[in-house]
Structures are given as C-alpha cells and as structure tokens.
Amino acid sequence: MNVRSSRTHIFLSTTGIFVLLSAILFFVWRVVEIPKEYLDETLLGISFFAVALITVTFYQSMKIYDSANVIAKNITEDFLQYSHELFTELYRSSPVPYVVINPVGKVVSMNTATARLFHTELNALEGIDIFSFFKNDESHKAALVPEYFKEGKSVSDVELEIQLPDETKRWVLLSLFSFKEAGGEKRGLLTLVDITKQKMIDKAKTEFVSLASHQLRTPISGMKWNIELLLTAGKDKFEDIHKAYIEKISGGVDRMEVLINDFLSASKFELGTLEPEYSDIQVFDFLLKVHDELVGMAEEKNIRIETDFGPNLGKINTDPHMFRTIVSNLMSNAIKYTPADGVVGLNVQQNTENVTIKISDTGIGIPQEDQEMIFSKMFRASNARTKVTDGTGLGLYIVKESVAVLGGTISFVSEQDKGTEFTVILPA
Ligand code: ADP
C-alpha cells in the first residue's frame, strides 16, 4: 500500500468509526426509551465528547501505525539497496574471476578479474559462448561441463585448459553452479581460478622425475649385467654365503629397476608423451605367458591361480607393452594382497568388439573409505600400508592411464577382508 492510499484508508476508517459511534449514541437517545433521570442533556454532551475522543485516539493510533510501517519499509529498502551495492562491489572487485552465463552458456556479465584473466576489457565477452574457450582433451572434461550445466548439476574444481581470445592458453580450476535470478530466469555462475603457474611447476617436477628415472636406467642395467658376470665367474669359486649376498644384491637391483620403470611410465603419462604402438597379439598365448611369469610368486605363498579362458579368444590389436603392464600389475597386486593359501582368479572372455579381463582374489580387500582414491598416483589404502609394507602406489595409476590410452574401461568391487575383483574391458 502506498502512502497516499494509506492516508485515505485512515481518513475513511476514522470517519467510519465516528459515524458508527454517533449513530449508536443517536439510536440510544432517540429510539430506546430511557427515562429522563438517566439521560439528560449534560450526559448526552459528555457522551458525544467521549465519542469524539475515541475517534481522535483511533485516528492518532492509525497514524502512528502508518508511520511505523513507512519507517520499516524505508529501513528494508535501504538495507536491500545496501546489500545489493555490497554484493555488486564484492562481485566486481573480487580477485576471483566470476562469470554469469545464461542457460546456453552465453556470458551475461563478468567481473574485473575475469577481464584480467581473458586479457580483455570489462564486459567485452558479453553474449559470447563461454564454453567455446574450453580446450578439449582425451578426458573430454571440457565437453562434459556444458552437459552437466544443462542437466542442472554442479561442477566443482575441474582442471581445464582455456584458449583466450588472443590465442594464449591458461590452465584454470573451474566450478559452475546454476541459480535462478530474481526474475526467475536460469543463470550459471562460473569461477575460473588461474592455476597456470602451479601447472608449470608440476610439469617441471614431472620432467625432472622423468629425466632422473631415464638417467638411472643405464647404471641399473650395468649393475645387473655385472651381477650376472659375477655369478657366472664365481659359480665354482664362491661359497654359498657369498652367493646368497650376491642374490640379495640382485633382488634389490631388480626392485629398483621396477621402481624406476614405474616412475618413468607415470611421468610419461602425466606429460602426455606416451604414444601407444599397436600390433596384433594372440590373447591366449600372451596371457598364458604373463600367468606363467607370476606362478612362482603365487607358489611362494601357496596361492592357487584359477584360470578361465573363454572359448572365443583370438587376436586383438593393441599396444602389447601396455596390455602386459595392465594384466601383470593387476595379477601381481592380487597375489601381493592375498594372504597365504588364498585363491587368485584370471577370467578372460572375448567377443567381436572387446576383450574382458577379470582378476579376482580372496585377499585383504580395499576399505570402503579408500576406494575413491585407489587409482590416484602414490595412494596406498590404510590396510595395505600396515599389512604389505612394500609398494609405491604407482601401479594402479599406470594401469588406469594405460587402459584410458587404449580406449578401455576399468572398474572394481572390493570388500575388506573378503577380496577384490578388477574388471578391464579393452577394444578387440
Ligand atoms: P602398490 O605399489 O602399493 O601395490 P598400486 O598402485 O598397485 O600400488 O595399488 C595401490 C593400492 O591399491 C595398494 O597400495 C592397495 O592399497 C590397493 N590395492 C590394489 N590392488 C589390490 C588388491 N588386489 N587387493 C587389495 N588392495 C589392493
């Protein structure tokens, strides 16, 4: 109600009260027969005065009520105005780049930090599709963001590379959620935190690991070669105790070689420099060889390996080195994380489109709370850290990356203290 209509309202209701009370008084005086000794002119005058007083009091209360309403309304408006200005100022001058987009991804507004990030003037991107700046990679994250937005899902902390209008590239940590404007229109709020520097530092570190691992391979090969020579030359000369020492050294060098190869592979995946080299392999022969290489490791713990090779195993076109890494890592993990006398299963099936490999065990399992992180680089589950101390947490990361490069999928089910089953599906 505005001020004018509120005043009319007060005037009308006061007049109404006055007329009503006067009418009651008139009715009592003229219509109801009241004896003269109870109602003389003086009493009538006093009554009329009372009616006038009540009306004035009513009028004043209405005015106070009205003023209170006006003050409350003004305070609310001032507060809203203040909040709006505060929010606009925070949005505009925040160091975090913010972009508001419409339902199809076109920029509605952006703040100064966004203009700085994109090397443009403020609001220069208005009406431009924000998703057109995202660079796609093999993980297709950039393509997933607009789809998630369309479905009303939030996106948080996704690392993406963007190509700016001046062709330069930056890495950003992107979050996006949708909201409704006061008018009811759907909007999206994007935050784009520039992480290019951190990415460069990460890359430099990875390059260092890659270089160092590469350089370490030559002396390791030399050591292995000399151990071989030493064992052959001393076959009849060394005592058993000396041979045992040399065997220990040999075991240590082998472990070091595995470690260095893992570091090298992980850094190559991270740098994106690992290109698959495809050739045809016979699935049965290939996997039987991997199986045979691991039988010794299983026998040491009296673990039985149960194989189930499907009837249609034939050729597949894949990168043999990566294929071997996948199966060998999963099988050796299954043996490593299964206590003595357990069972490890290798089930392989093939159809015209793909080959499915299931590797199961009756081992320690992966605790529920660790399952989400299990493919992360250098992550080891809590039970593995205490029960099997030997491990780097690189194997599953390499397996996951190899599967992705070969265009396949990997999943697992696991229950602590019961066992684990990994399923890998690769194109045939
Ligand atoms: P690690 O060198 O520690 O074996 P991986 O990358 O191969 O590294 O595996 C990462 C972690 O995943 C392991 O430390 C372990 O916690 C868990 N894990 C992998 N395979 C199994 C399995 N078959 N059973 C139980 N835990 C497993």
Side-chain angles (χ1 to χ4, degrees):
M1 199 188 288
N2 60 32
V3 176
R4 205 162 162 180
S5 71
S6 147
R7 277 188 192 145
T8 318
H9 179 236
I10 293 173
F11 175 75
L12 288 176
S13 40
T14 310
T15 316
I17 290 279
F18 182 73
V19 171
L20 184 71
L21 290 177
S22 305
I24 293 169
L25 192 61
F26 182 76
F27 178 78
V28 171
W29 179 46
R30 295 301 293 265
V31 181
V32 182
E33 296 269 314
I34 298 175
K36 262 264 179 207
E37 62 266 31
Y38 293 117
L39 188 68
D40 59 10
E41 261 82 31
T42 318
L43 194 55
L44 194 67
I46 291 171
S47 303
F48 189 75
F49 180 72
V51 166
L53 202 64
I54 290 171
T55 309
V56 169
T57 312
F58 176 79
Y59 176 72
Q60 287 304 339
S61 335
M62 285 294 276
K63 272 191 76 176
I64 291 169
Y65 174 74
D66 183 51
S67 307
N69 262 347
V70 171
I71 291 167
K73 195 164 166 252
N74 286 346
I75 290 174
T76 311
E77 271 171 8
D78 283 354
F79 183 71
L80 283 178
Q81 176 73 11
Y82 170 75
S83 306
H84 179 74
E85 277 168 16
L86 183 69
F87 175 78
T88 310
E89 187 52 28
L90 285 176
Y91 172 79
R92 204 176 55 78
S93 53
S94 160
V96 179
Y98 289 121
V99 185
V100 175
I101 54 172
N102 72 7
V104 290
K106 299 238 163 101
V107 177
V108 175
S109 73
M110 59 194 255
N111 67 352
T112 327
T114 307
R116 260 199 313 270
L117 175 68
F118 279 78
H119 305 152
T120 58
E121 297 294 313
L122 187 64
N123 296 333
L125 305 179
E126 262 179 37
I128 297 177
D129 178 5
I130 193 75
F131 301 128
S132 65
F133 296 107
F134 297 0
K135 277 185 74 196
N136 227 336
D137 60 5
E138 72 273 2
S139 66
H140 304 294
K141 275 186 288 187
L144 285 176
V145 174
E147 275 183 35
Y148 269 48
F149 177 56
K150 227 188 269 166
E151 291 166 17
K153 292 184 196 156
S154 305
V155 177
S156 65
D157 296 343
V158 176
E159 287 185 7
L160 275 182
E161 202 176 10
I162 55 171
Q163 178 144 11
L164 306 181
D166 63 4
E167 305 286 299
T168 51
K169 290 174 190 147
R170 309 293 292 173
W171 276 95
V172 290
L173 195 65
L174 174 147
S175 298
L176 169 61
F177 72 91
S178 26
F179 66 97
K180 284 227 164 85
E181 262 194 347
E185 273 210 69
K186 185 188 164 186
R187 294 279 184 250
L189 180 70
L190 275 160
T191 56
L192 303 159
V193 181
D194 192 350
I195 52 163
T196 313
K197 245 189 220 158
Q198 291 93 310
K199 275 281 181 191
M200 305 256 279
I201 295 168
D202 274 357
K203 192 169 174 231
K205 278 190 206 158
T206 312
E207 276 169 351
F208 170 74
V209 173
S210 173
L211 189 79
S213 325
H214 201 77
Q215 294 297 323
L216 282 169
R217 274 160 65 130
T218 319
I220 293 264
S221 304
M223 279 157 84
K224 282 185 77 165
W225 177 239
N226 282 301
I227 288 168
E228 286 281 314
L229 288 179
L230 198 58
L231 279 174
T232 319
K235 208 169 123 207
D236 303 320
K237 293 182 208 148
F238 291 157
E239 286 176 25
D240 283 351
I241 183 82
H242 299 133
K243 284 182 190 162
Y245 288 147
I246 297 171
E247 291 291 347
K248 270 197 177 163
I249 295 171
S250 172
V253 172
D254 284 345
R255 278 205 301 281
M256 212 143 76
E257 189 181 31
V258 171
L259 204 66
I260 284 164
N261 283 340
D262 278 357
F263 276 124
L264 194 60
S265 303
S267 53
K268 278 185 178 170
F269 277 120
E270 227 165 291
L271 293 169
T273 53
L274 234 170
E275 286 293 321
E277 288 175 20
Y278 285 92
S279 65
D280 283 347
I281 57 161
Q282 286 288 350
V283 175
F284 179 74
D285 297 345
F286 196 92
L287 292 183
L288 200 62
K289 242 190 192 166
V290 179
H291 164 269
D292 291 349
E293 283 165 13
L294 293 165
V295 165
M297 183 183 172
E299 276 173 357
E300 276 175 24
K301 292 166 77 181
N302 196 29
I303 287 173
R304 199 171 73 247
I305 301 182
E306 287 181 352
T307 53
D308 180 0
F309 291 108
N312 302 320
L313 300 190
K315 271 189 205 162
I316 61 164
N317 188 254
T318 191
D319 177 311
H321 178 70
M322 288 191 195
F323 188 65
R324 190 182 177 289
T325 304
I326 295 166
V327 183
S328 171
N329 266 336
L330 292 177
M331 287 273 292
S332 56
N333 271 351
I335 299 167
K336 189 160 102 178
Y337 295 110
T338 297
D341 307 321
V343 181
V344 166
L346 171 64
N347 179 312
V348 190
Q349 308 295 327
Q350 189 178 349
N351 61 27
T352 47
E353 271 152 35
N354 45 48
V355 57
T356 302
I357 303 155
K358 286 181 189 286
I359 292 160
S360 58
D361 64 59
T362 55
I364 62 170
I366 303 164
Q368 189 68 36
E369 65 275 15
D370 290 335
Q371 293 192 0
E372 201 186 330
M373 296 290 292
I374 213 70
F375 292 110
S376 310
K377 209 171 33 169
M378 305 197 102
F379 180 84
R380 304 198 70 217
S382 47
N383 58 345
R385 284 199 301 268
T386 49
K387 288 183 178 155
V388 185
T389 46
D390 185 24
T392 58
L394 284 174
L396 280 188
Y397 170 76
I398 294 168
V399 168
K400 182 199 78 177
E401 293 296 317
S402 304
V403 170
V405 168
L406 296 179
T409 59
I410 181 163
S411 57
F412 69 92
V413 281
S414 184
E415 203 177 324
Q416 197 166 355
D417 299 323
K418 289 260 166 64
T420 305
E421 181 177 80
F422 280 90
T423 303
V424 175
I425 304 177
L426 293 171

